[in-house]
Amino acid sequence: ETGVTQTPRHLVMGMTNKKSLKCEQHLGHNAMYWYKQSAKKPLELMFVYSLEERVENNSVPSRFSPECPNSSHLFLHLHTLQPEDSALYLCASSTGQGTYEQYFGPGTRLTVT
Amino acid sequence: GQNIDQPTEMTATEGAIVQINCTYQTSGFNGLFWYQQHAGEAPTFLSYNVLDGLEEKGRFSSFLSRSKGYSYLLLKELQMKDSASYLCAVRDPGGGNKLTFGTGTQLKVEL
């Protein structure tokens, strides 16, 4: 248990659906991240929020829309996804001190049909 | 840009020592991380190097040479539970704590 939870753990959606992924951190951190992990590919950073402000948007298609209502919660809103968007979506958080290591949640396994 | 290279797979024997290498060519550098990821689980932080040299933490050690763009993770007294993917990641020098990851090295520990 790393103190970062994600729901749902598994999600199957059609290309015309709208769904949201949720991440919550219980570590008192002030930065949160979304990553995409596809088979045989490196973890890809998607978005970074620091103190609830988006500081990084890594050329992610607009069908992915992040939201950070407070420092403990992060959402990823999904709409009109493509089959190639099927992947493991990982959330992470970090503090603003020390080595700034990121703590990851267990991920949401997304399948787009 | 960032380019990080790691071997795709390695196999080692229980009780042995294994070294997992990582080389990087990056436009900037502000630290290197190693993470462990078991199948179906979250990556967990193992080590951090920002200066040259060896950092030791129990059975795990990590080494960095900034001039060579090279790091390794050393695992001693291997256990079956060490079978996992090991991810090398470099932090960009800019703000935002942005990490670029390698594809990971899948380590299999055998009896």
Side-chain angles (χ1 to χ4, degrees):
Chain A
E1 177 61 46
T2 63
V4 181
T5 58
Q6 292 187 241
T7 54
R9 294 294 309 274
H10 300 272
L11 177 63
V12 179
M13 60 186 288
M15 289 189 287
T16 58
N17 291 158
K18 290 184 180 181
K19 296 286 184 183
S20 295
L21 309 184
K22 179 182 176 182
C23 175
E24 184 173 0
Q25 59 96 1
H26 313 274
L27 301 169
H29 289 167
N30 57 16
M32 297 186 78
Y33 313 79
W34 278 117
Y35 287 88
K36 176 183 179 182
Q37 189 173 37
S38 305
K40 308 297 183 184
K41 288 186 176 181
L43 270 169
E44 301 172 53
L45 179 65
M46 300 175 71
F47 301 103
V48 180
Y49 277 83
S50 178
L51 298 173
E52 301 152 40
E53 295 289 328
R54 190 189 309 180
V55 298
E56 184 73 34
N57 179 347
N58 220 19
S59 303
V60 179
S62 60
R63 57 185 184 269
F64 295 90
S65 175
E67 179 189 2
C68 187
N70 56 63
S71 59
S72 298
H73 294 85
L74 185 66
F75 295 89
L76 188 63
H77 304 298
L78 317 171
H79 65 97
T80 59
L81 295 190
Q82 304 298 311
E84 60 264 29
D85 297 323
S86 298
L88 181 68
Y89 289 85
L90 290 161
C91 172
S93 69
S94 69
T95 182
Q97 300 177 13
T99 59
Y100 306 89
E101 70 264 26
Q102 296 178 21
Y103 291 77
F104 285 84
T108 295
R109 173 67 63 185
L110 174 67
T111 303
V112 181
T113 61
Chain B
Q2 313 283 45
N3 187 43
I4 298 174
D5 292 309
Q6 306 177 234
T8 304
E9 296 178 339
M10 297 183 72
T11 301
T13 304
E14 188 179 37
I17 299 173
V18 71
Q19 178 175 312
I20 302 175
N21 295 325
C22 171
T23 57
Y24 61 91
Q25 301 87 39
T26 60
S27 55
F29 180 85
N30 190 22
L32 186 144
F33 293 82
W34 284 96
Y35 281 83
Q36 179 191 61
Q37 186 177 24
H38 286 99
E41 297 184 13
T44 55
F45 169 74
L46 288 178
S47 69
Y48 171 72
N49 296 72
V50 67
L51 300 176
D52 291 352
L54 188 68
E55 294 283 342
E56 296 186 79
K57 191 185 294 186
R59 293 190 298 116
F60 293 11
S61 303
S62 57
F63 172 83
L64 175 67
S65 169
R66 288 172 296 170
S67 62
K68 296 182 179 178
Y70 169 69
S71 173
Y72 67 73
L73 181 69
L74 194 71
L75 291 74
K76 302 176 185 176
E77 301 169 16
L78 279 173
Q79 302 175 11
M80 298 297 289
K81 67 178 183 179
D82 297 328
S83 293
S85 182
Y86 291 85
L87 311 177
C88 173
V90 172
R91 179 161 61 201
D92 288 358
N97 198 21
K98 180 179 176 181
L99 297 183
T100 301
F101 282 82
T103 52
T105 299
Q106 186 66 45
L107 174 67
K108 182 178 180 182
V109 180
E110 299 179 329
L111 290 172

